[in-house]
Amino acid sequence: MAGVIGRPRRRVDGRAKVTGQTKFADDIALPRMVYCRLLRSPHPHARIVRIDTSKADAFPGVLLTLTGSTFPIPYGVLPVSHDEHALCQDKVRHVGDPVAAVIARTESIADQAAKLIEVEYELLRTFGTPEESLLNPEPRIHEYGDDGNIHKAVAMQFGDVDAAIAKADHIFEDTFFFEGSTHLPLEQHATVALKDPDGKLVVYSSTQTPHYLHRALAKTLAMTAAHIRVIATPNGGGFGGKSDPFNHEIVVAKAAMMLDRPVKITLSREEVFYCHRGRHPVQMKFRAGVTKDGKITGLDLETLLDGGAYGSYGVASTFYTGALQTVTYEIPTYRFRGCRVFTNKPACGPKRGHGTPQARFGQEVQLDKIAETLKLDPAEMRLNIVAPPNSLTANFMKIGTIGLAECIRKVVARSDWKNKFRKLPYGRGVGIACSSYLSGAGLPINWNDLPHSGVQLKLDRSGGVTAFCGATEIGQGSDDVLAACVAEILGLETFDIRVVTGDTDLTPVDLGSYSSRVTLMMGNAAIQAAERARDLLAEAVAEKLSVPKEQLVFADGRVSHAEGAEKSCSFQEAVVFAEAKFGTIGTTGSYTPPKPPARYKGGGVGPTPTYSYSAAIVEVEVDPETGWLTVPNVWIGHDIGRALNPTLVRGQVEGGVYMGLGEALMEESAFRRLPAKLSNALVHKFPSILEYKSLTSLDMPNIFTDLIEDPDPAGPFGAKEVGQGPLLPIMPAVANAVYDAVGVRVDEIPVTPEKILKALTAKAAGKPARYGPDSFPSIPWPETLMVTPPWEGGDGRAANDPKRKKRVADAGTEVKAGITIAREAK
């Protein structure tokens, strides 16, 4: 009732608690915002014996305390990894795992009260490295997974790899390590949840994937999905770190429903490190056979991923460490084995490039070593092995247009490569690397036949056009792309298009801002919706002007007859004509990628409507006395298909270069064990921006960007992705440039002065002039799926797939039964 202050609300324990409200001048009483803080575990691995919240409950200003018993239903982003709870149930799995929540009148009160909660733990063995998790199956971090603390292990082979490598002129075997890193968006995670006047849940959150958060809330809160509204607020950066549904989002949603008032949580920077979902640390072993002119005969790749404490996107990440090796260069035979293990660290997930930068680093550095051994120019060698366009790879990835060769030629020419490579003074060098990436994943996370993106248009008689789409603006410019695609078809300016995005109540589903999918998928859906609207307007205008509708042109805010402007009308008049003829004008468009040709288990990771390609040359200066490394210049070419907004595209390319240089030179999510006499905790070395080093604007080099345009029919107006691909070649190009500068290999990321000095010291002592791992752990691989490549008659299925074996056996049984029946009948 309006004006009533102090309505009683029910607490979790059933006791009434009076809640204050703010009374506004118009006599409408609205609930006052309250605040949530989470109590997090100080231990990396322990059973929860007891939680006592009584002191926090009694603390002045506290409205509600929550523990794991309130959230019995698990959640996760992948259907195979629903292994998280909003608050831990019976066990904590890393330092920072949330065990309780306090909701209070102020954030300070909630923080003080959370520290009063008493938790008794029974400590368990901590697994700090993948090797420890491989060697010790007990205690299990999770009760699911392939075996012990192995989350996922996969093995697949395409053609006779061993024979192809054995027949090669040269065989190269190399091991690499890529350290994990975090996303480091300027904006921390934040969420506000409330009940609307109808009693439905509304959640405002800095999420990249409102659709997946919507699903997680419906599941964990056991609510009807139609009674939940998720609004993705404009993000202050995401880079993959806001792609998962998170525990804090679920906690405040539950609290808002219980208290009937808005509940807000803003994570501290340290808590963002605990949420993580950043780059997986990955160990790699590459074994390649090559001919004397540098062509690859076969590639054998093994990867080991440190997954942290939860599944997240980890199964997909595992496949991604090997899925795209074949779409950049011609590789006729290929074997990939990947393993992700659980450790007692914050969960890793999808950071920009999602699983592909690590293996791209290894492949590009190994190619540089191959070129050095064969005395080939590494740029020319790459040009000779670029994958052909419109082809199928050994692992059945379908390539469309490919502008990689032109990217290489462009950066070679602009950087004056031929006059610099191996010709600069000692301490200066240049390195080259290439890459490929998805323009959106070919299959959805939750497998179904539904569109991946939908767009609705509303045209009103004032001439206004509103575009609705579930895509999320995270700073990449997707709202501009949506408006531009609609405006281009309807002959308007982008300013004429109003966009409504990232709202699960108002907009059709878009799967989210990840995997560089938005421009291609949302763009195609927007074009379809706009074309349908244009057709309605054209039919009405043609009737009004007595001209064939096929001869009408939409441009400059008018609809005109192609043969003369005397027969024309304004766009606003065209909408009025159409509304008079058809009624209210609204159209829809949707996009579903074509079905991929890969039919083997795991073949759903890697396909895309079209791949983008990049080539980069990095120039470095290395001080051999200190190992100090600087990057004065970067040249990069990116195969964009067609640049819909060149300014935004260049911004994305240069942002990728910035992030790639940070990872190459300094960024690392490293962990350390506290002294045993203090704790057995496994903690971040650098859980703050003060200590976690990343580049500033003063550290940035000159960047020379070339956009290679070769429109791909799969993209909107021919466009491809640009959000993630340009990052990938930067790290290996830096490592290759260091070798050109001082003659030592650093087979690890980041490439730090300490590692360069150690490699230089080893070289001076007559030892191998490198720094990096010397071996790869022994892993119990599962049975390898054997897939025949397409040029050998393969159909995309594994010959030894258990399901296929069963189908063959069933078919054989049916044939035998038919023969028996026929004989008996005879």
Side-chain angles (χ1 to χ4, degrees):
M1 184 172 68
V4 174
I5 299 177
R7 283 184 295 172
R9 298 296 177 206
R10 303 303 297 178
R11 288 172 47 155
V12 178
D13 56 12
R15 291 177 290 159
K17 180 84 173 182
V18 176
T19 63
Q21 295 182 322
T22 300
K23 187 176 181 181
F24 291 87
D26 59 3
D27 203 37
I28 297 177
L30 295 175
R32 188 176 63 190
M33 181 89 74
V34 294
Y35 300 87
C36 176
R37 294 296 294 164
L38 300 177
L39 177 68
R40 297 180 179 274
S41 168
H43 304 293
H45 200 196
R47 287 191 181 90
I48 300 173
V49 177
R50 178 182 61 88
I51 300 180
D52 183 355
T53 64
S54 58
K55 292 180 181 178
D57 290 330
F59 196 79
V62 170
L63 305 179
L64 182 66
T65 59
L66 298 169
T67 62
S69 60
T70 311
F71 303 97
I73 302 174
Y75 70 95
V77 68
L78 298 185
V80 295
S81 300
H82 280 213
D83 59 1
E84 298 186 64
H85 288 84
L87 297 172
C88 294
Q89 298 286 293
D90 56 353
K91 187 161 71 168
V92 295
R93 295 174 171 86
H94 67 87
V95 171
D97 233 357
V99 297
V102 176
I103 294 86
R105 296 185 187 280
T106 69
E107 194 172 31
S108 176
I109 292 173
D111 192 58
Q112 293 176 64
K115 295 173 183 176
L116 298 176
I117 297 175
E118 297 175 2
V119 185
E120 181 182 341
Y121 296 99
E122 177 190 335
L123 301 185
L124 299 171
R125 176 171 183 163
T126 299
F127 299 102
T129 66
E131 289 83 354
E132 291 178 5
S133 296
L134 285 171
L135 292 174
N136 300 281
E138 298 289 341
R140 298 188 74 177
I141 296 174
H142 286 282
E143 295 306 314
Y144 82 102
D146 284 0
D147 183 42
N149 285 310
I150 294 176
H151 177 204
K152 188 66 178 177
V154 300
M156 53 195 68
Q157 180 170 318
F158 308 90
D160 194 340
V161 177
D162 293 326
I165 292 177
K167 293 177 181 177
D169 297 323
H170 301 272
I171 298 173
F172 293 83
E173 188 170 301
D174 295 282
T175 52
F176 302 95
F177 175 64
F178 198 114
E179 181 60 275
S181 57
T182 194
H183 312 84
L184 215 65
L186 288 180
E187 178 201 37
Q188 299 111 276
H189 299 255
T191 303
V192 174
L194 54 89
K195 283 173 74 172
D196 71 9
D198 295 326
K200 297 176 181 177
L201 174 63
V202 182
V203 176
Y204 297 83
S205 195
S206 55
T207 177
Q208 296 178 230
T209 54
H211 174 62
Y212 295 140
L213 175 56
H214 187 252
R215 292 175 64 103
L217 289 168
K219 182 183 185 229
T220 55
L221 303 181
M223 289 181 62
T224 302
H227 296 168
I228 301 172
R229 180 183 183 185
V230 175
I231 300 172
T233 58
N235 281 206
F239 314 115
K242 299 171 182 174
S243 299
D244 285 71
F246 285 99
N247 42 51
H248 65 272
E249 295 169 314
I250 298 168
V251 168
V252 296
K254 181 68 173 179
M257 295 300 290
M258 296 176 71
L259 293 172
D260 192 11
R261 57 197 305 175
V263 182
K264 179 178 181 178
I265 186 168
T266 302
L267 300 191
S268 68
R269 180 61 61 178
E270 185 173 352
E271 288 180 298
V272 174
F273 277 87
Y274 295 145
C275 284
H276 196 43
R277 317 300 158 124
R279 185 85 70 216
H280 284 76
V282 178
Q283 299 177 54
M284 296 161 278
K285 179 182 177 182
F286 280 79
R287 182 167 164 265
V290 296
T291 63
K292 58 187 177 181
D293 57 356
K295 292 188 180 295
I296 300 169
T297 63
L299 178 64
D300 187 1
L301 169 60
E302 296 176 81
T303 64
L304 174 61
L305 293 78
D306 184 342
Y310 292 100
S312 183
Y313 286 81
V315 172
S317 307
T318 305
F319 283 106
Y320 272 129
T321 59
L324 301 189
Q325 305 313 113
T326 59
V327 303
T328 315
Y329 307 112
E330 284 192 88
I331 300 177
T333 63
Y334 179 49
R335 178 163 57 224
F336 166 61
R337 289 168 287 184
C339 176
R340 184 182 193 262
V341 297
F342 290 120
T343 57
N344 294 119
K345 304 173 186 176
C348 296
K351 186 185 175 186
R352 202 173 192 173
H354 191 190
T356 65
Q358 298 94 321
R360 176 57 51 194
F361 169 75
Q363 185 174 29
E364 293 296 321
V365 173
Q366 186 179 61
L367 284 174
D368 212 59
K369 295 180 180 183
I370 291 170
E372 175 76 8
T373 300
L374 301 182
K375 295 180 171 32
L376 299 173
D377 182 306
E380 292 296 331
M381 190 185 81
R382 284 173 170 82
L383 276 172
N384 291 334
I385 60 175
V386 168
N390 304 309
S391 62
L392 273 181
T393 67
N395 57 338
F396 285 84
M397 300 295 120
K398 187 176 182 180
I399 299 173
T401 60
I402 175 169
L404 180 56
E406 184 58 27
C407 288
I408 295 173
R409 295 188 187 100
K410 183 65 72 173
V411 296
V412 163
R414 288 201 66 182
S415 66
D416 196 22
W417 166 267
K418 293 188 180 300
N419 290 319
K420 290 181 178 177
F421 178 66
R422 298 293 190 263
K423 297 176 182 177
L424 293 174
Y426 183 70
R428 293 179 58 199
V430 290
I432 188 171
C434 302
S435 69
S436 54
Y437 199 67
L438 316 163
S439 296
L443 290 172
I445 286 174
N446 299 283
W447 283 24
N448 53 55
D449 295 325
L450 299 173
H452 292 211
S453 185
V455 171
Q456 291 177 327
L457 296 184
K458 177 181 75 70
L459 284 67
D460 63 66
R461 62 189 66 173
S462 68
V465 179
T466 304
F468 300 86
C469 182
T472 309
E473 175 62 71
I474 58 172
Q476 83 281 39
S478 61
D479 281 2
D480 180 85
V481 170
L482 173 59
C485 288
V486 174
E488 179 70 19
I489 298 297
L490 298 181
L492 302 172
E493 298 294 326
T494 55
F495 185 72
D496 298 323
I497 313 298
R498 185 183 300 276
V499 298
V500 177
T501 55
D503 186 327
T504 60
D505 254 19
L506 301 182
T507 63
V509 169
D510 178 273
L511 297 184
S513 293
Y514 66 96
S515 288
S516 284
R517 54 174 301 285
V518 177
T519 291
L520 188 137
M521 299 193 184
M522 177 195 70
N524 279 326
I527 289 171
Q528 185 182 78
E531 288 175 340
R532 289 171 173 172
R534 183 189 60 190
D535 291 345
L536 291 175
L537 269 59
E539 186 173 341
V541 171
E543 184 178 287
K544 203 74 174 177
L545 300 182
S546 301
V547 298
K549 66 178 183 180
E550 296 81 9
Q551 296 179 12
L552 290 174
V553 176
F554 287 69
D556 300 322
R558 299 190 65 79
V559 183
S560 308
H561 187 226
E563 295 182 0
E566 65 277 0
K567 288 191 173 184
S568 69
C569 66
S570 68
F571 181 82
Q572 185 262 335
E573 291 172 320
V575 175
V576 170
F577 297 155
E579 187 172 342
K581 180 177 178 61
F582 299 110
T584 302
I585 304 299
T587 60
T588 63
S590 59
Y591 179 76
T592 303
K595 289 189 175 181
R599 305 295 175 84
Y600 55 88
K601 187 175 181 180
V605 177
T608 183
T610 181
Y611 298 96
S612 74
Y613 294 88
S614 303
I617 290 175
V618 173
E619 182 178 352
V620 302
E621 295 175 356
V622 181
D623 183 340
E625 297 297 319
T626 64
W628 192 255
L629 170 64
T630 57
V631 178
N633 295 299
V634 173
W635 296 267
I636 184 165
H638 182 69
D639 168 23
I640 185 63
R642 173 174 286 167
L644 302 186
N645 184 322
T647 300
L648 288 179
V649 170
R650 289 179 183 276
Q652 286 289 297
V653 172
E654 293 174 12
V657 171
Y658 163 80
M659 188 168 278
L661 286 174
E663 292 192 47
L665 301 176
M666 61 187 69
E667 293 190 39
E668 51 182 342
S669 287
F671 289 77
R672 60 189 175 91
R673 289 184 186 272
L674 295 180
K677 63 181 179 180
L678 298 178
S679 167
N680 72 335
L682 184 69
V683 297
H684 275 287
K685 282 185 177 179
F686 317 114
S688 76
I689 291 183
L690 179 64
E691 297 156 306
Y692 182 96
K693 302 303 181 187
S694 64
L695 294 181
T696 70
S697 58
L698 297 177
D699 301 310
M700 283 297 288
N702 300 310
I703 303 175
F704 305 92
T705 302
D706 283 292
L707 304 180
I708 308 304
E709 295 193 271
D710 179 14
D712 191 296
F717 306 112
K720 297 183 179 184
E721 78 85 34
V722 68
Q724 303 186 65
L727 172 145
L728 274 66
I730 300 302
M731 293 78 80
V734 167
N736 291 339
V738 167
Y739 180 76
D740 188 40
V742 292
V744 299
R745 295 283 180 188
V746 178
D747 291 338
E748 283 193 6
I749 290 296
V751 180
T752 62
E754 295 85 353
K755 295 173 184 177
I756 293 173
L757 279 181
K758 288 180 180 180
L760 286 169
T761 301
K763 180 180 180 182
K767 299 177 181 178
R770 70 180 290 269
Y771 181 93
D774 295 320
S775 62
F776 185 84
S778 176
I779 297 173
W781 297 116
E783 179 186 1
T784 302
L785 291 178
M786 307 299 291
V787 183
T788 303
W791 42 83
E792 295 179 13
D795 61 0
R797 294 181 170 87
N800 58 335
D801 186 331
K803 291 183 179 179
R804 183 171 189 174
K805 286 181 178 179
K806 186 176 185 302
R807 286 195 299 268
V808 172
D810 290 345
T813 301
E814 290 176 4
V815 170
K816 290 179 181 177
I819 293 172
T820 301
I821 292 170
R823 286 175 177 170
E824 290 176 351
K826 186 176 181 180

